[in-house]
Amino acid sequence: MQLLVTNSPFTSEQAELLNKLLPTLTEAQINWLNGFLTFYQAGSAGTAAAELASGAVLEATTAVPAAADVPQGPREATILFGSQTGNSQRLAGRLAEKLKGQGFDVTLSAMNKYKTNKLKETPYLFIVASTHGEGDPPDNALTFYEFLHSKRAPKLEGTKFSVLALGDTSYEFFCKTGRDFDARLAELGAQRIADRVDCDVDFEEAASGWIAAVSSAVSAAPAASQVSVAAASVGTASAAAESEFTRTNPFMAEVLDNLNLNGRGSDRETRHIELSLEGSGLTYAPGDAVGVYPQNDPELVEEIISFLKWNGDEAVPAGKAGETASVRTALLHHYEITVLTKPLLEKAVAFSGNAKLAELLKPENKEELKAYLNGRDLLDLLRDYEPWTLKAQDVATLLRKLPPRLYSIASSLNAHPEEVHLTIRKVEYEAHGRKRKGVCSVYASERLQIGDKLPIFIQQNPNFKLPVNPDTPVIMVGPGTGVAPFRAFLEEREEAGAAGKTWLFYGDRHFVTDFLYQTDWQRMLNDGVLSKLDVAFSRDTDEKVYVQHRMLENGEELFKWLQEGAHVYVCGDEKHMAHDVQAALITIIAQYGGKTQEEAAAYLSELQEQGRYQRDVY
Ligand SMILES: Cc1cc2nc3c(=O)[nH]c(=O)nc-3n(C[C@H](O)[C@H](O)[C@H](O)COP(=O)(O)OP(=O)(O)OC[C@H]3O[C@@H](n4cnc5c(N)ncnc54)[C@H](O)[C@@H]3O)c2cc1C
Ligand SMILES: NC(=O)c1ccc[n+]([C@@H]2O[C@H](COP(=O)([O-])OP(=O)(O)OC[C@H]3O[C@@H](n4cnc5c(N)ncnc54)[C@H](OP(=O)(O)O)[C@@H]3O)[C@@H](O)[C@H]2O)c1
Ligand SMILES: Cc1cc2nc3c(=O)[nH]c(=O)nc-3n(C[C@H](O)[C@H](O)[C@H](O)COP(=O)(O)O)c2cc1C
């Protein structure tokens, strides 16, 4: 049907544009647009981001007639998530609630808990997956990822699917896991009913759009009377959701304490920060993290404003839709100014009169671009690619929202009611001739005062949790700030009077200045809450000693603990430590379990599948 002024509410120009566009759309694009328009309409009606996040807006989508050719069989949907820090899991839970509301029998499951022999039977398959490491799947997606990409993966011609990919455009392999799943499912013959959505760090709106699109695409399925058994493993509804304070509506937590844990003469600074949760209704469990919305460095903000000769008081879009703030406040609180990404440079080209910037973005200069982005910030870009026509008003177009930083919780709520404690190490380094300051850690170290209010939310992490049985032994490996969650674990076990054995491997540079929470561990050792403590101070001896060396030295006993059912937890540096610790575990299992390296690796994978080997790495 051709749209005309007479048969539609559009002007002739609008009708012409739509007549051009509509015939070019694929079925998946129409479905996506369906959902998007519902979401857009609700958003422009002033709906707060928090409401979007809660899924309230999405209710409207059930009324949208779906264009999808949906199967008329039972209304069953399988939602699988691969999540390291909980975002994908939470979004998968939201889709599950949405589809259940539409009368679907939903199976919601972590990928590693899903029985793959059911895959072929599922009429609808929805995947929500983040990317970690250097383009790697999250831990709980690994086995499913490998299965799906192997020859054993079944043909999926009878399956309709869609993928939501979470990631961060500042990483080289942006959303790689989700992209791989999307491509592989299509290769196996599954039919995409809503296009994949790739989310950057500020994922709420894009994810809500995807949920709406999926909901819309499936809404022409048979009536709700066909609802059968309740979902098998829907159970991720968040405790934090019981509070009104969320990622999109953070709680202003009062700072009760902020002390440096490192001794005088240390080359590191690690803050122990105590925050009040009073009146928030927020709760958490050991293993969860706190998301902190930081402030940018005021000096850097002033340098940018003065470089561009802006009036710092000019009002610009900032915060929720329709809100404004002075450009100074916007750069301090709302926009990211310390990270360069390819999408940012692609937008910046329009405002730069320097042809070299467009040159840098050409596909043949991929490697130069990668090198340029590494370690540079907005001020570097401005200085390097003059002249600029950027106006203060353009910040909203050009810049990403300032993302929150996550910190592993270092306290037990039972030991410290209505409080949460964090362990934040200051990040400072030199790059491209300038001193660089980590946004959040430097804010916490240099400017955050007792009595200040810090915007926070609780980020649940179901993938890093103490065993349910208090008698189960636990082995904790946490060098540096990686030790933070283990203070929470041990306080929790102390409060519960748990009998299970506990073993902590801790390491840092120097015994005298860098032994974080030393007195806590000593007291816990005395009280029997901590059964064993092994430490590795890397710079007190000629040869470096790391936690994995202590593990290897204690290999026989460590393997005995594993055989007794111990759970192993690793927290801290992802790039080196976590890999080396994993290699040490495999060596120990091989040596004391009489296994080959392959068998030992399979043993560890099995522990991971059972939730007995959990990692919280960054
Ligand atoms: C689940 C999770 C839990 C975490 N828990 C903790 C915790 O308990 N304690 C803690 O301190 N941190 C923790 N982190 C890390 C924390 O979230 C922040 O990433 C960290 O504090 C740095 O943030 P920032 O804003 O200060 O620095 P940013 O402004 O974000 O700068 C950090 C970036 O600077 C770059 N960089 C850092 N050092 C160098 C260098 N030497 N050379 C070149 N580039 C460099 C890297 O690109 C790095 O990503 C955790 C992260 C995650 C994901
Ligand atoms: N993504 C981010 O934004 C971000 C921000 C901050 C920190 N991090 C990461 O988080 C990690 C934790 O930082 P941190 O400051 O708490 O501690 P850390 O740098 O990990 O240092 C803690 C101890 O671990 C040692 N170590 C170094 N390499 C190791 C290895 N391969 N295996 C085992 N131990 C090793 C260090 O020794 P030496 O130093 O003597 O070698 C030190 O004694 C950092 O390494 C960093 O990569 C990430
Ligand atoms: C240590 C670390 C490594 C990451 N690596 C990547 C990456 O390679 N590619 C990417 O797109 N995103 C990367 N991210 C961003 C995450 O995918 C993003 O934060 C996502 O929202 C996390 O979702 P989850 O909580 O479901 O795991 C990384 C994040 C962390 C903390």
Side-chain angles (χ1 to χ4, degrees), residues 322-342:
E323 290 180 356
T324 60
S326 74
V327 68
R328 176 173 292 111
T329 304
L331 294 182
L332 259 183
H333 296 277
H334 297 285
Y335 293 106
E336 185 176 67
I337 57 174
T338 51
V339 177
L340 293 182
T341 63
K342 189 174 173 213

Side-chain angles (χ1 to χ4, degrees), residues 34-69:
N34 249 336
F36 174 79
L37 286 177
T38 310
F39 170 72
Y40 179 79
Q41 187 183 22
S44 63
T47 308
E51 286 172 315
L52 294 176
S54 75
V57 163
L58 308 177
E59 292 309 318
T61 59
T62 42
V64 177
D69 170 21

Side-chain angles (χ1 to χ4, degrees), residues 384-517:
D384 293 344
Y385 291 99
E386 288 191 88
W388 293 93
T389 56
L390 257 181
K391 301 275 171 291
Q393 295 301 323
D394 298 322
V395 291
T397 318
L398 187 69
L399 302 177
R400 294 200 299 188
K401 285 189 189 153
L402 182 56
R405 269 59 171 171
L406 293 181
Y407 294 96
S408 311
I409 290 175
S411 55
S412 151
L413 202 50
N414 292 324
H416 309 276
E418 298 201 289
E419 285 183 17
V420 64
H421 301 177
L422 307 178
T423 314
I424 304 186
R425 183 161 282 177
K426 190 169 171 180
V427 172
E428 271 185 321
Y429 57 96
E430 184 86 19
H432 309 290
R434 267 178 54 211
K435 189 173 175 186
R436 312 282 161 164
K437 296 179 174 188
V439 175
C440 192
S441 59
V442 171
Y443 168 55
S445 306
E446 295 184 354
R447 303 195 299 282
L448 190 67
Q449 306 294 328
I450 293 172
D452 284 355
K453 298 276 176 81
L454 190 64
I456 63 157
F457 60 93
I458 301 292
Q459 176 90 1
Q460 292 191 316
N461 185 357
N463 307 315
F464 202 72
K465 284 284 161 288
L466 274 167
V468 178
N469 182 349
D471 296 335
T472 304
V474 295
I475 299 168
M476 299 162 285
V477 185
T481 53
V483 82
F486 303 134
R487 183 172 180 268
F489 275 28
L490 288 165
E491 284 189 350
E492 184 82 353
R493 279 215 153 174
E494 183 171 28
E495 289 302 312
K501 294 190 290 184
T502 56
W503 190 350
L504 175 65
F505 290 90
Y506 172 72
D508 218 317
R509 290 187 178 168
H510 301 287
F511 171 82
V512 176
T513 54
D514 307 328
F515 200 163
L516 306 185
Y517 300 116

Side-chain angles (χ1 to χ4, degrees), residues 348-364:
V349 163
F351 304 102
S352 168
N354 190 327
K356 285 192 186 144
L357 185 54
E359 187 67 24
L360 182 68
L361 285 161
K362 287 190 173 158
E364 60 269 30

Side-chain angles (χ1 to χ4, degrees), residues 425 481 508-509 538-539 544 546 548 573 576 580:
R425 183 161 282 177
T481 53
D508 218 317
R509 290 187 178 168
S538 54
R539 302 197 186 185
K544 290 232 171 175
Y546 291 152
Q548 62 270 27
D573 172 43
H576 304 106
D580 295 350

Side-chain angles (χ1 to χ4, degrees), residues 74-143:
R75 294 167 60 104
E76 284 173 18
T78 300
I79 304 170
L80 301 181
F81 56 83
S83 185
Q84 194 78 33
T85 54
N87 293 332
S88 306
Q89 179 155 1
R90 189 165 55 80
L91 294 169
R94 270 177 50 198
L95 178 64
E97 289 305 315
K98 181 73 198 153
L99 295 187
K100 277 204 297 177
Q102 287 177 248
F104 272 82
D105 179 2
V106 178
T107 298
L108 170 67
S109 176
M111 289 177 177
N112 63 345
K113 295 275 183 286
Y114 181 68
K115 290 206 167 47
T116 47
N117 58 4
K118 296 258 185 283
L119 199 57
K120 214 174 159 47
E121 297 155 23
T122 186
Y124 290 105
L125 175 64
F126 300 111
I127 288 203
V128 186
S130 63
T131 299
H132 279 264
E134 301 287 335
D136 304 324
D139 284 353
N140 67 0
L142 265 175
T143 45

